[in-house]
Amino acid sequence: MMDAELRNLRIDRSKRRASEPAKWATRWIVAGIAVFLLLGAWRLASDKLNAAPEVEIQRVQSISASSAPQGVVLNATGYIVAAHKIEVAAKVVGKVKWIGVDKGDRVKEGEVMVRLEDDEYQAQLEQAKGQIATLQAKLDEALHGSRPEEIAQALANLDSAKADLDNAKVSLDRARSQVGEGLVAKQTLDDAQSRYDSAVHKVNSLQKAYELVKLGPRQEEIDSLRGQVQQARGMLDYAETNLANTVIRAPVTGTILERAVEKGEFVTTSFVGDRGAKGYVVSLADLNDLQVELDISQNDFAKLHAGQHGMVTTDAFPDRKYDGFIKEISPEANRQKATVQIKVKILKPDEYLRPEMNSSVAFVSDQKPDTNAAVPAKPVVIVPSSAVKDGAVFVFLDGKALRRAVKTGAVSGQGVRIEQGLIGGEDLVVAPPAGLKDGDKVRRKS
């Protein structure tokens, strides 16, 4: 009986296992949840990837032909350049001691921009000054002639020599008489004759010296000294010029475009390289004298002539327009490009213009439009230049961008003239994003 009660108290594990869910059911549940999460993530990513981009929409307006820009014969693009860009170089070699300008600074003509070390040139100047002082003193001495003291000294020397000559004459006469009487040897006469001849030569030499002292320097000697003094003055001027050239000044009033050197760098009179001595210290230009440099196709070159006016615009500031005219036409064409270079002078440039900016020029015809036509011209459709890509535009309709081919005409400061494809009133996508295709969904930018 005890065993039966114990069996009744024992837990039946087989029933518990039967009530638990099977392993395959758990796996199906987990897999279903994972698929659901993946589908949700894919839907979210798809919505983000396929979100319609925002675009700027502008309604196309048609205007009357009389108010449309007339006479635009050619539109060309190029770059703004300074009419006269100056690379200021040093005329002497040396290390940069001080530089007082930086890129973008405005300088006036004659303003000091760079100073070079000048110790060596100072020493050369002092040497040249000493040389000219010495030569000038010699020239002054020659011009003034001999001093009285020098003449007196030369005369005293001559008198002394004459006295010695008289003494030698007496000794010679005595020796002759003694030799004739047989009192002395003939050698004594020879010695006396030699001393007499020497005294005669000395007197003659001092006589000429005395006469030269009285006459003073020859004219040829004076002219030679004058030439040496003039040469020394040239060397002095050269040394002063070299010293002055260690101070580099602005040759014109303008704006610094580039600062090519730093303190301690070596400057030479010829360009060596980026890592060697520099051939110039700064480059500058007058930004009130700007031009647009254009390469015109030889097929369009016949449409232009010297002095022809055009409207200048830039990519950076398309709303700002500047009047200009053809200032220069290259006398030589470019064979490789099949172009001719021209330069358009901008009449009234301002601070918005910078060298190397992209620029467009719409050249206008010299012919005036006919305002007395019997039949009024059809309205003109003009759209922004940024809306036209590859000969087509995108029209916004029912939330989609529809590509429409157009035929373009002249380009002016207001935009591109549409000859075919638009009639006015369409909603146009301005500056369509890259990769936009026909039928893509877009949203109007608020």
Side-chain angles (χ1 to χ4, degrees):
M1 183 175 179
M2 182 67 69
D3 293 338
E5 290 179 354
L6 290 174
R7 281 194 298 270
N8 291 332
L9 293 174
R10 186 178 299 170
I11 298 173
D12 191 352
R13 297 185 181 273
S14 61
K15 293 181 179 180
R16 181 179 178 182
R17 290 193 187 95
S19 64
E20 292 179 352
K23 291 183 178 180
W24 62 268
T26 303
R27 291 171 181 170
W28 275 106
I29 293 172
V30 173
I33 295 173
V35 170
F36 179 78
L37 293 175
L38 289 174
L39 287 174
W42 175 82
R43 179 63 180 273
L44 181 61
S46 178
D47 289 343
K48 287 187 175 293
L49 291 175
N50 295 327
E54 285 189 347
V55 293
E56 183 179 350
I57 305 298
Q58 179 176 325
R59 177 149 298 183
V60 178
Q61 300 291 336
S62 61
I63 59 178
S64 64
S66 60
S67 62
Q70 299 290 336
V72 177
V73 296
L74 181 66
N75 187 78
T77 58
Y79 298 94
I80 294 177
V81 297
H84 303 286
K85 180 179 178 180
I86 303 173
E87 291 183 346
V88 183
K91 298 179 69 174
V92 295
V93 298
K95 285 186 177 181
V96 177
K97 181 179 180 180
W98 173 85
I99 180 166
V101 295
D102 209 341
K103 182 183 294 188
D105 290 349
R106 290 187 56 82
V107 294
K108 294 183 178 180
E109 182 177 355
E111 182 178 342
V112 177
M113 299 185 296
V114 180
R115 295 182 185 271
L116 304 181
E117 295 180 354
D118 59 357
D119 297 344
E120 180 180 353
Y121 299 103
Q122 287 278 9
Q124 292 176 359
L125 178 61
E126 294 301 323
Q127 183 180 8
K129 288 180 178 179
Q131 182 72 12
I132 194 173
T134 301
L135 293 174
Q136 185 65 48
K138 289 183 178 180
L139 177 60
D140 294 341
E141 180 182 359
L143 291 174
H144 293 151
S146 301
R147 292 175 294 178
E149 293 81 3
E150 293 175 338
I151 297 175
Q153 183 180 4
L155 181 59
N157 291 336
L158 178 60
D159 293 340
S160 176
K162 287 181 178 180
D164 292 340
L165 177 62
D166 293 340
N167 188 28
K169 181 68 170 59
V170 172
S171 298
L172 177 62
D173 292 341
R174 184 184 302 113
R176 283 176 180 171
S177 63
Q178 289 178 351
V179 169
E181 296 175 358
L183 297 177
V184 294
K186 190 175 183 304
Q187 179 64 39
T188 302
L189 177 62
D190 294 340
D191 293 341
Q193 184 67 44
S194 177
R195 286 193 296 272
Y196 176 77
D197 294 340
S198 176
V200 170
H201 291 307
K202 185 176 182 180
V203 168
N204 292 335
S205 175
L206 290 176
Q207 181 68 40
K208 293 180 180 179
Y210 172 68
E211 292 175 357
L212 290 176
V213 169
K214 288 178 64 177
L215 293 175
R218 296 172 55 186
Q219 186 63 38
E220 293 82 353
E221 294 178 354
I222 295 175
D223 292 341
S224 176
L225 288 172
R226 282 199 177 112
Q228 294 178 35
V229 170
Q230 186 175 359
Q231 182 181 9
R233 283 176 179 164
M235 296 300 296
L236 177 63
D237 293 340
Y238 180 70
E240 289 177 344
T241 301
N242 283 342
L243 180 62
N245 286 334
T246 60
V247 179
I248 303 175
R249 302 176 182 272
V252 297
T253 299
T255 302
I256 302 296
L257 303 180
E258 180 186 4
R259 168 174 160 166
V261 297
E262 297 296 335
K263 182 179 179 180
E265 287 190 317
F266 193 78
V267 175
T268 183
T269 54
S270 59
F271 183 74
V272 177
D274 292 338
R275 297 187 178 182
K278 301 298 178 63
Y280 67 96
V281 292
V282 298
S283 64
L284 60 88
D286 183 4
L287 298 187
N288 292 321
D289 189 4
L290 296 178
Q291 297 177 345
V292 182
E293 192 174 85
L294 305 164
D295 289 331
I296 304 299
S297 171
Q298 295 183 24
N299 297 330
D300 297 326
F301 180 66
K303 302 176 182 177
L304 306 177
H305 59 82
Q308 187 168 359
H309 280 259
M311 186 65 66
V312 180
T313 57
T314 61
D315 294 348
F317 305 101
D319 295 334
R320 305 189 68 86
K321 300 174 177 59
Y322 306 87
D323 189 21
F325 67 94
I326 297 179
K327 177 71 177 295
E328 178 184 321
I329 299 178
S330 175
E332 186 178 25
N334 189 311
R335 181 189 303 178
Q336 286 75 20
K337 295 182 179 180
T339 59
V340 177
Q341 187 181 88
I342 69 171
K343 292 184 178 179
V344 175
K345 180 178 177 61
I346 301 175
L347 292 178
K348 294 181 180 179
D350 55 24
E351 66 277 6
Y352 292 94
L353 299 181
R354 298 286 187 275
E356 305 304 324
M357 268 187 174
N358 293 337
S359 179
S360 299
V361 181
F363 294 99
V364 297
S365 173
D366 296 333
Q367 298 178 354
K368 296 182 179 180
D370 185 9
T371 57
N372 298 322
V375 179
K378 65 178 182 179
V380 176
V381 175
I382 297 179
V383 301
S385 302
S386 59
V388 182
K389 286 190 176 181
D390 300 328
V393 296
F394 284 93
V395 176
F396 179 73
L397 185 63
D398 297 333
K400 294 182 179 181
L402 304 180
R403 189 176 186 273
R404 182 175 297 181
V406 294
K407 180 181 178 182
T408 59
V411 180
S412 66
Q414 297 183 11
V416 182
R417 183 182 299 208
I418 303 299
E419 303 292 346
Q420 280 184 343
L422 297 175
I423 61 174
E426 297 93 341
D427 287 333
L428 202 65
V429 177
V430 180
L436 185 63
K437 298 179 182 179
D438 185 21
D440 286 353
K441 292 182 179 181
V442 291
R443 291 182 297 164
R444 184 191 296 267
K445 184 181 293 186
S446 57

